[in-house]
Amino acid sequence: MAVRSASADFGGGERGARARRRGLSRNPAFVGCALFFALAALSFASLSTGSSGADFSLPFDILFGGEVGPSAELIFFQIRLPRLCVALIAGVSLSLAGATMQALFRNPLADPSVMGVSAGAALGAVVAMSFFGGALSLVSLQIGAVVFGLAATAFVCALGRGGTILSCLLGGIAVNALCGAVVGFFLYSAREAGLKSYIFWMLGSLDNADWNSIAHASLVSVPAWIAVMACARGLNALLLGWEQAYHSGVRVKLLWRACVAATSLMTAAAVSICGIIGFVGLVIPHIMRLWTGPDNRRLLPLSALAGALLMVGADLLSRAANPADPVPIGVITSLLGVPFFIFLLKFGKGEK
Amino acid sequence: MIEARCVCVNYGGLNALNNVSLTMCDGEFTAVLGANGAGKSTLLKVLTGFLRPSSGEVFFGGKPLREISARGLALRRSVLEQEAHSEFDCTVFEMLSFGGFARGGVFCAAPGEGGRICAALEKVGLSGAEGRKYSELSGGQKRRVQLARAIFQLEDGGDMAGKGLFLDEPSAGLDPSHAHCAMRAVGEMCARGVSVFAVLHDPNLALAYADKCLLLKGGEPFMFGRAEEVLTAQNLSEIYDSECEEVFTARGKFVVFPGKGALRRA
């Protein structure tokens, strides 16, 4: 009797079955395909346009061996393609780092800047830039970013040890503010180039893209991407709570350390090539979670795609506004993403 | 078989558990009762391997608990915690599938998990709820979803003997009909050879379902034995420090706590 009355709550299972047959727009495979094609289209557009004007046949000519002038080829391989690569790497890294941290902290407010990684990495890059100029500057800058990023994370973790997740988050916010202030101080002291690089580090920019830094950054971030994707099921179990995750067979401490290290590495690598770009890591995972649910096996890859899409799209817009001197990309990502996010937050829940 | 030998737990100088020993055979339902703060949940944490005892040892099938990996342990025992919450909005199906971590590969769940999830939900009277949002369920439904998750974690389509189901107040927040529904689901697991260890607050549920019963008082084992022998009015009034009476009906013995000096309208 008890069993029958209980299942009657759910209309004999009909409602559950209906809920399971989600609409096409929420089907993860469909969303993934849509994001992928949108990303491909925007990437194509990004390769076709630049300060020398738009030419949509250029990518085709280069791909299929058509007639291309040497200057067009130089622009394509030395300016547009590296710029696109930086946008892709940064978009994937930031959104994956955000999604992973939100699962790890079980808090939707977590993102790379909350752990202090972003500002720590920027500080490392700026410090390295001021002390090791010249030929070593690029490598030292990137090493500085990674080292300081990891150090900032380690410091925040040490602060939060024994405390709650909230104390960890608050510690991260404090470290973030401190590092940002020190970056400001360093760049303010270096008057001539100061303002330009302050904008680069604190608002993000794709203008400094070059193949060497892309190679170094991807060397660090691609293994980190693979690592967090491989942790997806463990992160899922962590959504049930740390204790329950342990009961379900997750080695919680190991998972925690691996994911924190991987997210710090990918964030620091992204910051080292394009500065701090806010918003992507916080809101892209949010949007994708509202869209297709909290299962990290879907959420992580879809967030990666969506993050790359947002970055490429924002870069296109920033260059469309002023091809010669693009608006800092962090400004555009926020302008683009926040209204969409607010819309989803306010109206997306009704259709669930 | 699950065995605890002389388990003691010290929380910063405070003796939370003192010298507790117990043996749970396959298919046996062991209930533990005691007043608030008597060490019931601490004992459950020690038995599940979450808390390492200050001294003493827990054995799972003759093997010390600390020598079994987290994943190996998860395949052999599951736990229903006192409270479970999730900040993110899962469906009931996802909630259960997240508990099947130990069986799957790196990225994919083990084959046939979907069917087992539905079967586990049916056992607790929630068939058809798998597509519902967890956050939209009532407190009692959430509790039963958690119980279904614990049951699902043990179901691997094979032999259930030698596994353990650890429940911290499985009937908390459930109305009498659903409490019995949940306990029957637990009883079914016993019949299939699973050892059940449950922290209970209702001695009548223990009388109805448990084979053995452990009474704790202030972290000390008060009595351990067959449920109907242990759960007497005298023992219960001693451990709860509250007056207890036995009532006999055609269905057997029940216990009630009338309460000293309780206000009652004439």
Side-chain angles (χ1 to χ4, degrees), chain A residues 172-292:
Chain A
I173 289 170
V175 167
N176 210 45
L178 179 69
C179 290
V182 179
V183 168
F185 177 76
F186 259 92
L187 295 176
Y188 183 76
S189 315
R191 288 290 169 115
E192 345 53 279
L195 186 63
K196 193 79 187 163
S197 30
Y198 184 77
I199 291 174
F200 177 88
W201 289 112
M202 299 314 283
L203 290 175
S205 163
L206 303 180
D207 292 344
N208 288 9
D210 77 281
W211 285 116
N212 277 334
S213 55
I214 289 171
H216 299 156
S218 49
L219 212 62
V220 172
S221 44
V222 173
W225 298 348
I226 297 171
V228 293
M229 298 257 200
C231 290
R233 291 191 76 232
L235 289 171
N236 277 348
L238 214 55
L239 295 183
L240 303 171
W242 284 33
E243 207 170 322
Q244 193 58 61
Y246 167 76
H247 294 319
S248 306
V250 179
R251 293 169 71 186
V252 177
K253 262 191 192 146
L254 186 71
L255 180 78
W256 166 261
R257 284 183 189 145
C259 286
V260 165
T263 49
S264 307
L265 283 176
M266 64 175 91
T267 309
V271 169
S272 78
I273 49 174
C274 60
I276 297 175
I277 296 174
F279 170 79
V280 181
L282 178 68
V283 180
I284 287 292
H286 249 301
I287 291 173
M288 297 321 291
R289 194 177 296 112
L290 286 173
W291 202 344
T292 61

Side-chain angles (χ1 to χ4, degrees), chain A residues 143-171:
Chain A
I143 292 175
V146 168
V147 168
F148 272 65
L150 282 177
T153 315
F155 182 64
V156 170
C157 287
L159 270 183
R161 178 164 299 160
T164 57
I165 285 175
L166 189 67
S167 66
C168 220
L169 290 179
L170 289 174

Side-chain angles (χ1 to χ4, degrees), chain A residues 2 6-7 9-10 16 20 102 106 229-230 233-234 236 239-240 243-244 246-249 289 294 297-298 352, chain B residues 45 49-50 70 74 77 79 81 86-88 94-95 100-101 104-105 107 125-126 128 130 132 141 149 153:
Chain A
S7 59
D9 296 353
F10 301 102
R20 238 179 307 146
Q102 289 172 14
R106 301 201 299 127
M229 298 257 200
R233 291 191 76 232
N236 277 348
L239 295 183
L240 303 171
E243 207 170 322
Q244 193 58 61
Y246 167 76
H247 294 319
S248 306
R289 194 177 296 112
R297 289 175 298 168
R298 299 193 293 261
K352 269 191 206 166
Chain B
K45 283 192 172 123
F50 186 76
R77 65 102 180 83
V79 185
E81 288 183 302
S86 186
E87 280 77 1
F88 297 118
E94 285 167 338
M95 197 85 192
F101 170 81
F107 216 66
L126 285 174
E130 56 268 23
R132 293 281 301 269
Q141 286 170 336
R149 188 191 46 65
Q153 190 182 323

